[in-house]
Amino acid sequence: MAGVKRIDAFLTQPERTIPGERQKAARGDVELAHVTFGYGEKQVLNDFSMTVHQGEQVTLIGRTGAGKSTIFKLLLGLYPPESGSVTIGGVPVADITDRERRTCIGCVEQHFARVPGTVLDQITLGDPQITAEMAKNAAQLAGIDTAIRALPDGYDTVCSEGMFSQGEWQLLSIARAAAAAPSMLLFDEITANLDAETERAVLSALKRVAENRTVISISHRTSAELGRTIALAD
């Protein structure tokens, strides 16, 4: 009965609006203008504004619950703001098509989300726009190419738990984000659970993939900051 209730609740949700194709690409300055958003009765962002210029690197800092991850969800179009606007290059994020999204935004989270398939599939996610050559170039940029080629079948090795170290999974996640050559990268506390040596390797990979791209990162540690910082108020 609990399962049926959840299914009924899902089916009563309004249908998703599929955005149409546009001539203008979503590349350029990132802007949140007077954004208000909350989860139910809990208000997280209240009349919040932020601008990140194209090619700029910014770190969001603040206590847990201040809205750092919420900003990422709004930029990814996972939630619409209750009021205000969220745009990339002047294009509302709600108007970014699924086909365009990976070339616009690459996101690296704390934990790697493995999908069924080969190592190559982990990078491409089955996206026909990303060729094997693009995936391998991204792996080289992230510093994981050598470890992949050492596997029995290289990039065609079926992925399984335990085949990579925690740091290597993180490098694979960076390769996945960079594969489609997005104009913007989002980094969500990706060195939080790494030892010092692994953290250095991951930070080195981040610097390589971040070159000439807009970067917004979340950090609780000032040593991991990239570029300008934006502090979210309590």
Side-chain angles (χ1 to χ4, degrees), residues 121-169:
D121 292 329
Q122 308 307 312
I123 300 175
T124 66
L125 293 177
D127 189 340
Q129 298 180 96
I130 301 176
T131 64
E133 183 180 1
M134 291 170 65
K136 292 174 182 178
N137 288 340
Q140 290 175 354
L141 191 63
I144 190 64
D145 177 70
T146 301
I148 295 173
R149 293 186 184 277
L151 296 171
D153 296 313
Y155 283 84
D156 294 324
T157 304
V158 175
C159 223
S160 61
E161 188 174 354
M163 67 186 298
F164 290 125
S165 67
Q166 186 176 356
E168 288 171 335
W169 284 118

Side-chain angles (χ1 to χ4, degrees), residues 73-102:
K73 292 173 183 176
L74 292 170
L75 287 172
L76 290 165
L78 300 178
Y79 293 106
E82 295 171 10
S83 63
S85 62
V86 182
T87 59
I88 300 174
V91 177
V93 293
D95 292 344
I96 300 174
T97 64
D98 291 344
R99 183 176 180 82
E100 179 188 11
R101 197 170 299 278
R102 278 193 84 181

Side-chain angles (χ1 to χ4, degrees), residues 144-225:
I144 190 64
D145 177 70
T146 301
I148 295 173
R149 293 186 184 277
L151 296 171
D153 296 313
Y155 283 84
D156 294 324
T157 304
V158 175
C159 223
S160 61
E161 188 174 354
M163 67 186 298
F164 290 125
S165 67
Q166 186 176 356
E168 288 171 335
W169 284 118
Q170 202 63 284
L171 294 176
L172 192 63
S173 183
I174 294 171
R176 174 189 285 177
S183 61
M184 179 171 67
L185 292 169
L186 305 179
F187 299 147
D188 188 359
E189 277 281 9
I190 64 175
T191 61
N193 301 313
L194 303 178
D195 60 69
E197 183 177 353
T198 305
E199 180 178 355
R200 283 194 293 270
V202 170
L203 287 175
S204 178
L206 291 183
K207 289 178 182 178
R208 291 193 296 272
V209 301
E211 189 173 354
N212 299 321
R213 289 192 173 105
T214 305
V215 177
I216 303 177
S217 61
I218 290 174
S219 176
H220 286 97
R221 294 180 296 171
T222 56
S223 60
E225 289 174 7

Side-chain angles (χ1 to χ4, degrees), residues 109-116 122 125 169 173 176:
E109 299 179 298
Q110 289 186 34
H111 304 288
F112 185 80
R114 183 164 52 90
V115 299
Q122 308 307 312
L125 293 177
W169 284 118
S173 183
R176 174 189 285 177

Side-chain angles (χ1 to χ4, degrees), residues 10 22 25 49 53 68 92 101 117 128 132-133 189 208:
F10 174 78
R22 301 181 328 279
S49 296
H53 299 293
K68 302 184 298 298
R101 197 170 299 278
E133 183 180 1
E189 277 281 9
R208 291 193 296 272

Side-chain angles (χ1 to χ4, degrees), residues 8-35:
D8 287 343
F10 174 78
L11 292 175
T12 57
Q13 295 295 314
E15 290 289 336
R16 177 188 175 204
T17 301
I18 305 299
E21 297 292 335
R22 301 181 328 279
Q23 294 296 321
K24 181 180 180 181
R27 289 176 176 259
D29 294 351
V30 177
E31 183 176 11
L32 283 78
H34 304 288
V35 169

